[in-house]
Amino acid sequence: MTKQTFRIAMISPVAWRTPPRAYGAWETVASNITEELVQRGWDVTLFATKDSLTRAKLRAVVERGYEEDPDVDPKVCEYLHLSEAFERADEFDLIHSHYDFMSLAYSRLTKTPMVTTIHGFSSPKVLPVYRKYNEHVNYVSISNADRAPELDYIATVYNGIDTESYTFYTEPGEHLVFLGRIHPDKGTHLACETARKSGRRLIIAGIIQDKEYFQEKVKPHIDDVNIQFIGAVGIEGKNKLFKQAYAVLHLNELPERFGLVLVEANAAGVPVIAMDRGSCREVIKDSETGFLVNNVDEAVKALDHIQDLDRYSCRKRVEKYFSIKSMVDGYEEVYSRILNKALAD
Amino acid sequence: MTKQTFRIAMISPVAWRTPPRAYGAWETVASNITEELVQRGWDVTLFATKDSLTRAKLRAVVERGYEEDPDVDPKVCEYLHLSEAFERADEFDLIHSHYDFMSLAYSRLTKTPMVTTIHGFSSPKVLPVYRKYNEHVNYVSISNADRAPELDYIATVYNGIDTESYTFYTEPGEHLVFLGRIHPDKGTHLACETARKSGRRLIIAGIIQDKEYFQEKVKPHIDDVNIQFIGAVGIEGKNKLFKQAYAVLHLNELPERFGLVLVEANAAGVPVIAMDRGSCREVIKDSETGFLVNNVDEAVKALDHIQDLDRYSCRKRVEKYFSIKSMVDGYEEVYSRILNKALAD
């Protein structure tokens, strides 16, 4: 069997288009993997919304993302989408699902082996389904930190970004940058505190996910002189932001599952000061592509050493470990292990 | 193949215990069918919550009804429950599902034929799933009125009640009775109006489902003299209520899917004045077990003719068409048609 004859079914979520127009992290990853696999000569069928854009074969029964379509019932979309994929399971040698625990429920009703990327556990309440299929489905974690101790994983495959989209800046900017959802988990208020204590200007960018938090803990700091809020930004806005960045502050209060922003900043050559929680230690190499800290005071101190870091190292690390290429290398390795196991059985 | 060797999988919902402790219409029907089938010698396996009570074989993975368990995620229960049933589908000659559109999604992943009782369409948005499986799954409607024109049905099987639970009263009581959810759909306010215009006392029983409606349209009428509200009642309360009943008023504003209350009243010998909407015409035989009307004035007039009706006819009609026995006769007929078709194929 060659990669041209090895038929892969890629199941993307149908909350948004694949790739999404704006928000939609899981659909983004599914799209990046799919397009790179096609580029490398794999036979891929993408199960996604009908308006999805892909060079793979598209199989779709849901018109558009249910988050973008008030006329549909999300659960109905989910059931139509997943049943379509599994009713065609025999047409494939491997199913790669990004559809959370729901796709697991069909996995024993087909002989086709399945790999599921666990993009996150929405709640510990979903673990029983993952436990049930632990022996049967191959789980991929998106960081070692995000693994559930009770589950077995075939591999960790880090999410990869399209490095070409991020301009590399050889010289640092002047400002501190916070980029991400405005939410207590993300520590926007700690970025403000760090800015104040260090005397540096902070630019905050991102969607306001927690309005009360924004009003109470962030907005009082915004004076458009020392602390500025510019709202959500797309890829152009990010590049512009990274150009101005002395360092990105990512003082998350909760463990990160992966931490895409850290990778994006590094791709631009910008070092990151991140809390030493969750996957940050895997994404940021301490004292090389940023600094891992435990509190605001450590973050302030770390700022004095930003210039000691080599911006090229930041970029190189992303290309090596967090690019679409490295991600798909990881999944190709997973696929061959599953394929070899299937052939041996 | 005999009924002893014909293996039926009965899939009950897991919102509540089967049978439910109080509310839970779909679980009640699933339980009634299951227990009567076992009584008749069928080999039935009930898929329901672990705390369910049955003389069939019980297969359960969900501890208790998700409506009764704040610690679980209903969707997780649903996926664990349905996948369990369909992973065992090969052990059965027939699957009889009461689990709405969600169980349809698994039906093509097994060779075992399936019948689904459509207890109701929660919204037109769920119809696409029913359409998808129209050729594949045998649909049963609970009244002819509740059929979706675009779907094919193998039969209508009316829900059946345990007639033994309802005392038959040879003599009428004095009062009007409204029994059901307090909700504009059920026309509680029209029952009040009928009572006022006819000068008869009305007793209202049922859960308050629409609080605003109750406050604005029902409560102002309650004076404990002419109109009384007694809250929700169980089977004892219903029997007591029917003893006092001159007639039951069921002036529903929306088409009924089936209309259990009409059957219960008739079982006690109580005639029903019902709006001529939805299934009421199938359940009530006009001018024999009650009167079908189009508005309050017709309801008031009909009250004058209640004494012309034969209370024994009311009871007899329930025993013939709306008892557990008649319901299971109906399903046995459906099963043999499916079985014969399977044997012929």
Side-chain angles (χ1 to χ4, degrees):
Chain A
M1 202 180 291
T2 65
K3 62 167 75 163
Q4 285 80 7
T5 61
F6 183 76
R7 300 156 305 171
I8 301 173
M10 187 74 61
I11 305 182
S12 191
V14 286
W16 308 98
R17 189 186 75 176
T18 299
R21 288 175 177 82
Y23 186 77
W26 300 15
E27 285 87 349
T28 300
V29 174
S31 173
N32 284 340
I33 299 171
T34 299
E35 302 314 309
E36 176 69 11
L37 285 172
V38 171
Q39 180 69 25
R40 294 184 186 191
W42 292 84
D43 179 354
V44 186
T45 301
L46 175 67
F47 290 84
T49 57
K50 278 192 186 174
D51 60 355
S52 290
L53 305 174
T54 183
R55 291 174 59 215
K57 293 167 214 161
L58 178 65
R59 274 274 171 204
V61 289
V62 173
E63 292 296 328
R64 62 192 71 81
Y66 57 74
E67 296 286 2
E68 303 175 77
D69 189 348
D71 294 336
V72 298
D73 178 331
K75 200 168 170 180
V76 166
C77 294
E78 176 178 312
Y79 272 94
L80 287 173
H81 175 62
L82 288 178
S83 62
E84 172 73 11
F86 284 91
E87 284 162 8
R88 296 184 175 274
D90 293 350
E91 301 170 16
F92 303 101
D93 299 295
L94 181 80
I95 296 167
H96 183 173
S97 175
H98 300 268
Y99 213 107
D100 208 346
F101 71 84
M102 292 76 98
S103 59
L104 302 176
Y106 299 85
S107 65
R108 278 200 194 136
L109 304 174
T110 167
K111 289 195 174 69
T112 308
M114 181 160 145
V115 50
T116 286
T117 300
I118 306 181
H119 289 278
F121 301 102
S122 52
S123 132
K125 291 179 181 177
V126 308
L127 271 168
V129 192
Y130 283 102
R131 270 200 298 271
K132 177 179 175 187
Y133 294 97
N134 190 40
E135 309 285 308
H136 186 70
V137 176
N138 301 282
Y139 296 144
V140 169
S141 46
I142 57 169
S143 70
N144 294 326
D146 197 43
R147 290 188 169 197
E150 60 202 292
L151 300 182
D152 297 311
Y153 294 81
I154 190 168
T156 287
V157 180
Y158 295 123
N159 289 337
I161 62 167
D162 177 11
T163 50
E164 296 303 303
S165 303
Y166 296 86
T167 312
F168 174 69
Y169 301 105
T170 51
E171 293 301 320
E174 283 179 37
H175 308 316
L176 303 179
V177 164
F178 172 95
L179 176 60
R181 296 178 283 120
I182 315 296
H183 190 281
D185 291 356
K186 295 291 183 182
T188 324
H189 61 296
L190 300 181
C192 296
E193 207 181 320
T194 306
R196 192 176 49 76
K197 288 194 176 176
S198 68
R200 284 190 178 266
R201 182 170 180 177
L202 170 70
I203 307 173
I204 300 172
I207 59 164
I208 298 170
Q209 201 178 45
D210 186 327
K211 280 183 186 165
E212 201 181 314
Y213 168 71
F214 177 75
Q215 285 297 334
E216 287 180 17
K217 302 279 186 180
V218 180
K219 209 178 168 189
H221 297 286
I222 297 170
D223 56 9
D224 290 333
V225 178
N226 296 309
I227 299 188
Q228 187 187 1
F229 174 61
I230 61 169
V233 288
I235 182 70
E236 269 186 66
K238 284 181 187 178
N239 278 322
K240 205 175 143 192
L241 207 54
F242 291 144
K243 190 177 180 182
Q244 301 171 277
Y246 177 73
V248 161
L249 297 178
H250 192 84
L251 304 173
N252 51 301
E253 297 251 80
L254 270 198
E256 275 297 328
R257 297 187 179 291
F258 173 67
L260 198 64
V261 169
L262 286 60
V263 173
E264 291 173 332
N266 272 185
V270 180
V272 177
I273 295 174
M275 282 291 189
D276 192 6
R277 284 208 177 99
S279 61
C280 293
R281 179 165 284 273
E282 293 169 63
V283 176
I284 297 300
K285 195 160 163 75
D286 195 22
S287 305
E288 196 174 311
T289 67
F291 294 103
L292 296 166
V293 300
N294 295 294
N295 51 52
V296 166
D297 287 339
E298 287 183 25
V300 173
K301 271 185 210 151
L303 283 171
D304 294 336
H305 303 283
I306 285 291
Q307 301 255 38
D308 304 343
L309 304 180
D310 176 11
R311 297 176 67 91
Y312 287 98
S313 289
C314 297
R315 174 78 180 196
K316 287 291 162 208
R317 187 170 160 80
V318 173
E319 285 172 356
K320 189 164 178 187
Y321 297 114
F322 308 113
S323 64
I324 292 178
K325 183 189 168 302
S326 62
M327 171 172 66
V328 175
D329 288 348
Y331 281 112
E332 280 186 330
E333 164 72 20
V334 167
Y335 299 166
S336 20
R337 282 170 61 192
I338 295 170
L339 174 62
N340 290 337
K341 193 173 167 296
L343 291 176
D345 283 350
Chain B
M1 203 182 289
T2 66
K3 63 167 76 166
Q4 286 81 9
T5 60
F6 184 77
R7 301 154 304 170
I8 299 172
M10 188 74 63
I11 305 182
S12 191
V14 287
W16 308 98
R17 189 186 75 177
T18 300
R21 289 175 175 82
Y23 185 77
W26 299 15
E27 286 86 350
T28 301
V29 173
S31 174
N32 284 338
I33 300 170
T34 300
E35 302 315 308
E36 176 69 12
L37 285 171
V38 171
Q39 180 69 25
R40 294 184 186 190
W42 292 85
D43 180 353
V44 185
T45 300
L46 175 67
F47 290 85
T49 58
K50 278 192 185 173
D51 60 355
S52 291
L53 306 173
T54 182
R55 290 172 59 215
K57 294 166 213 160
L58 179 65
R59 273 272 169 206
V61 288
V62 173
E63 293 294 329
R64 61 192 71 82
Y66 56 74
E67 295 286 1
E68 305 175 78
D69 189 348
D71 294 335
V72 298
D73 178 332
K75 199 167 172 182
V76 166
C77 294
E78 177 179 309
Y79 273 94
L80 288 173
H81 175 62
L82 288 178
S83 62
E84 172 73 12
F86 284 90
E87 284 162 7
R88 295 181 176 278
D90 293 350
E91 301 171 16
F92 303 100
D93 300 294
L94 182 80
I95 296 167
H96 183 172
S97 174
H98 300 268
Y99 213 108
D100 207 347
F101 71 84
M102 291 77 97
S103 58
L104 302 177
Y106 299 84
S107 65
R108 280 201 193 135
L109 304 174
T110 166
K111 290 196 174 66
T112 309
M114 179 160 146
V115 50
T116 285
T117 299
I118 305 181
H119 288 279
F121 300 102
S122 52
S123 133
K125 291 179 182 177
V126 308
L127 271 168
V129 193
Y130 283 102
R131 270 200 300 272
K132 175 177 176 185
Y133 294 96
N134 190 40
E135 309 285 308
H136 186 72
V137 175
N138 302 280
Y139 296 144
V140 170
S141 46
I142 58 169
S143 70
N144 295 327
D146 196 43
R147 288 187 171 199
E150 60 201 292
L151 301 182
D152 297 311
Y153 293 82
I154 189 170
T156 287
V157 180
Y158 295 123
N159 289 336
I161 62 167
D162 177 11
T163 50
E164 297 301 305
S165 302
Y166 295 87
T167 312
F168 174 70
Y169 301 105
T170 51
E171 294 301 323
E174 284 179 37
H175 308 314
L176 303 179
V177 164
F178 172 95
L179 177 60
R181 294 178 285 119
I182 316 296
H183 190 279
D185 291 355
K186 296 289 183 185
T188 324
H189 61 297
L190 300 180
C192 295
E193 206 181 321
T194 306
R196 193 175 48 75
K197 288 194 174 175
S198 69
R200 286 192 175 266
R201 182 171 181 178
L202 171 69
I203 308 173
I204 298 171
I207 59 164
I208 298 170
Q209 202 179 40
D210 185 328
K211 280 183 184 162
E212 201 182 316
Y213 168 72
F214 177 74
Q215 286 297 333
E216 287 180 17
K217 303 277 185 179
V218 180
K219 209 178 169 188
H221 297 286
I222 297 169
D223 57 9
D224 290 333
V225 179
N226 296 309
I227 299 187
Q228 187 186 359
F229 174 62
I230 63 170
V233 288
I235 183 71
E236 269 187 64
K238 284 182 187 178
N239 278 321
K240 206 174 144 194
L241 207 54
F242 292 143
K243 190 177 181 182
Q244 301 171 275
Y246 176 72
V248 161
L249 297 178
H250 193 83
L251 304 173
N252 51 301
E253 297 250 79
L254 270 199
E256 275 297 328
R257 297 188 178 290
F258 175 67
L260 198 65
V261 168
L262 287 59
V263 172
E264 292 174 332
N266 272 186
V270 180
V272 177
I273 295 175
M275 282 292 188
D276 191 6
R277 285 209 177 98
S279 62
C280 293
R281 179 164 285 271
E282 294 169 64
V283 176
I284 296 300
K285 196 163 161 75
D286 194 22
S287 305
E288 197 173 308
T289 67
F291 294 103
L292 297 167
V293 299
N294 294 295
N295 51 52
V296 166
D297 287 339
E298 287 183 26
V300 173
K301 272 183 208 152
L303 283 172
D304 293 338
H305 303 282
I306 286 291
Q307 299 257 37
D308 304 343
L309 304 179
D310 177 11
R311 298 177 65 90
Y312 287 98
S313 289
C314 297
R315 174 76 179 196
K316 286 292 164 208
R317 185 168 161 80
V318 173
E319 284 172 355
K320 192 165 176 189
Y321 297 113
F322 308 112
S323 64
I324 292 177
K325 183 187 168 305
S326 62
M327 172 172 66
V328 175
D329 288 348
Y331 280 112
E332 281 185 331
E333 165 70 20
V334 167
Y335 298 166
S336 22
R337 282 171 61 193
I338 295 170
L339 175 61
N340 290 338
K341 193 172 167 297
L343 291 176
D345 284 348

